[in-house]
Amino acid sequence: MKDSNILKLVDKDEAIDLLQKMIGFRTVNEPGDELPLAKFIKQRLDEIGLESVVDDLGNNRGNVIGRLRGTGEREALLFNGHLDTVPPGDIQWDYDPYSGKVVDGKIYGRGSADMKGGLAAMFIALKAVKEAGWKLKGDFIYSATAGEEIDSIGAVKFVQDGGLDEVGAIIIGEPSAGKINIAEKGAFWVEITTYGKTAHGAFPQKGINAVTHMNALLSELISYRFKYEENSTLGHPTMNISTINGGVKTNVVPDKCSITIDMRTVPGMIHSEIAKDFERIIEKLATEIDDFKADIKILNDRAAVETKPNHPFVKLAEETIKEEFGREVKAQGVNFYTDASIFLPAKEIPCIFYGPGDSTMAHQPNEYITIDSLMESVHFYIAMIERYLVL
């Protein structure tokens, strides 16, 4: 980093305190309740003299966007993270999941890794850049969005409002264990239901058994093969039959049976074509099995996205890690989805994921990040701002 003196403006205690305060906001999705945290971040943005706005999405939900203006010579750099978390779960935690308790160099709490740690680190980096008085050649945008864990309601609204119009590159602060992620699998979740006719269990011939019809359908689905090309970063797609529910009592012929399927796709796969394939399977079974009836409902539809490993922005990030931390890293992909699944289909721009903590801690009891990873992320973010918007 050319201006290494800026790191003297970074206060570790302030970073820890900010993350602890963020963890203290209960933003469990559902219902979300991100608005109070969005307002808290806006207050912090206002305190350091940034333009900021809260976008109230209704039902106690909201986004917050901050902007540090540049000269306009370059496109903007967007730092993004999500405000919501999953529930703490039923397993007892060692520490209060909303305490942000520090133990042995670790900060515990729901959302510490996924991904309030990234939001805190991005803010601290932004604050240091503002205090250093760097002249930016493009705008720096800080966006914290609602709803990523379920439907990305906040990212969708951000895109609809033109949030990406001036953006040239994106960094999403998802936990990455000190590595750079550049691609994510798509998520295509469907529910398929077979329908029958109820009857007394002693007279099954008078009914139509939706469970046995589902068995026939499952046999077809298990032998189904995706149409795709292996992705160099993400590999192969997967399909998991996740849930099954049918019947009401042992002595009743079931008239309904439902399954849910979780498919993780790679770039180039078209989800609507998969749905059509499943519809053709249903049509085939309807010609082979008397009274066979089924339908499909799409539950989640997120495209697989990637930035190519040789993209200049990816190379810039790899070089930054090598020069700042002395590590060689190779960009990789992840099997889960982020708000990039909303951003990149809307605008073809480079995007990397880098943030404190490890993704294996996400959604787990006793979720934590290390203080070292929090501070390293602050360092990385500052260095990327310098390289992309200053030098």
Side-chain angles (χ1 to χ4, degrees):
M1 195 184 304
K2 289 199 172 182
D3 184 8
S4 58
N5 287 328
I6 191 174
L7 296 178
K8 297 176 182 177
L9 300 174
V10 175
D11 185 331
K12 180 167 71 173
D13 291 337
E14 180 184 11
I16 295 169
D17 180 70
L18 177 61
L19 176 53
Q20 288 175 317
K21 285 183 168 62
M22 287 181 170
I23 291 171
F25 285 86
R26 303 193 180 205
T27 54
V28 171
N29 194 2
E30 298 173 316
D33 291 332
E34 301 98 338
L35 187 60
L37 177 54
K39 290 180 177 179
F40 167 77
I41 294 174
K42 176 180 170 28
Q43 180 183 355
R44 297 298 293 263
L45 291 167
D46 292 345
E47 288 171 359
I48 62 174
L50 257 68
E51 298 178 25
S52 67
V53 61
V54 167
D55 185 5
D56 190 331
L57 305 178
N59 298 317
N60 205 34
R61 312 196 71 181
N63 295 339
V64 58
I65 299 98
R67 185 185 293 263
L68 181 58
R69 294 282 178 181
T71 63
E73 299 170 60
R74 296 179 185 170
E75 289 185 296
L77 176 61
L78 172 66
F79 277 14
N80 170 260
H82 62 88
L83 298 162
D84 59 323
T85 72
V86 297
D90 297 327
I91 297 175
Q92 183 69 33
W93 286 47
D94 293 338
Y95 311 102
D96 182 344
Y98 299 105
S99 67
K101 188 173 181 64
V102 176
V103 180
D104 296 330
K106 301 172 182 176
I107 306 171
Y108 286 85
R110 176 54 84 221
S112 55
D114 184 20
M115 58 156 288
K116 293 176 179 178
L119 287 173
M122 288 175 166
F123 178 88
I124 296 298
L126 171 58
K127 181 174 182 286
V129 169
K130 180 68 166 60
E131 291 178 351
W134 281 0
K135 183 179 179 181
L136 305 183
K137 296 180 181 179
D139 289 0
F140 175 80
I141 303 171
Y142 176 101
S143 71
T145 49
E148 185 265 1
E149 295 290 358
I150 294 183
D151 57 7
S152 288
I153 181 176
V156 170
K157 183 62 161 51
F158 181 77
V159 170
Q160 290 174 343
D161 290 345
L164 296 179
D165 288 353
E166 301 169 4
V167 173
I170 304 173
I171 299 178
I172 296 179
E174 293 279 359
S176 64
K179 300 179 178 66
I180 297 169
N181 297 319
I182 59 169
E184 63 184 47
K185 285 187 173 181
F188 190 44
W189 301 351
V190 300
E191 179 183 66
I192 304 181
T193 302
T194 52
Y195 299 94
K197 177 183 176 183
T198 190
H200 195 291
F203 307 101
Q205 70 278 9
K206 295 185 178 180
I208 301 170
N209 194 311
V211 171
T212 57
H213 283 187
M214 180 60 75
N215 182 58
L217 178 58
L218 281 170
S219 295
E220 295 282 345
L221 293 175
I222 290 169
S223 62
Y224 175 77
R225 296 294 178 264
F226 291 114
K227 304 176 186 72
Y228 73 98
E229 291 185 8
E230 182 179 359
N231 184 272
S232 60
T233 305
L234 295 169
H236 304 274
T238 60
M239 178 169 69
N240 179 52
I241 310 295
S242 306
T243 67
I244 184 166
N245 182 44
V248 292
K249 290 185 70 177
T250 304
N251 61 346
V252 177
V253 174
D255 62 352
K256 183 178 180 182
C257 184
S258 297
I259 60 169
T260 57
I261 307 173
D262 178 355
M263 291 166 279
R264 302 295 169 134
T265 57
V266 297
M269 295 178 68
I270 301 172
H271 293 176
S272 61
E273 290 299 322
I274 298 172
K276 289 179 182 177
D277 285 346
F278 287 4
E279 289 170 356
R280 282 190 280 269
I281 290 173
I282 291 172
E283 291 170 0
K284 171 179 172 288
L285 290 174
T287 66
E288 298 174 349
I289 301 172
D290 291 342
D291 301 312
F292 184 91
K293 182 181 178 183
D295 59 28
I296 302 174
K297 178 181 179 183
I298 296 173
L299 305 177
N300 194 5
D301 187 357
R302 292 178 183 254
V305 295
E306 67 176 336
T307 298
K308 296 298 184 182
N310 61 353
H311 192 283
F313 190 65
V314 175
K315 294 303 180 185
L316 183 69
E318 291 175 340
E319 292 165 5
T320 298
I321 290 179
K322 182 178 180 180
E323 293 186 17
E324 299 299 326
F325 310 124
R327 296 197 309 268
E328 295 272 3
V329 297
K330 182 180 179 181
Q332 57 190 26
V334 296
N335 290 339
F336 54 83
Y337 60 78
T338 73
D339 280 339
S341 64
I342 305 299
F343 297 148
L344 299 194
K347 184 177 182 182
E348 190 174 342
I349 47 180
C351 176
I352 66 169
F353 319 138
Y354 184 98
D358 192 318
S359 62
T360 60
M361 289 305 306
H363 304 191
Q364 298 296 314
N366 298 315
E367 178 185 352
Y368 71 84
I369 63 169
T370 65
I371 294 172
D372 286 346
S373 71
L374 177 67
M375 302 316 298
E376 182 176 291
S377 292
V378 174
H379 185 155
F380 173 79
Y381 295 148
I382 292 172
M384 285 296 289
I385 294 169
E386 182 186 54
R387 286 166 175 260
Y388 191 81
L389 293 177
V390 178
L391 300 180

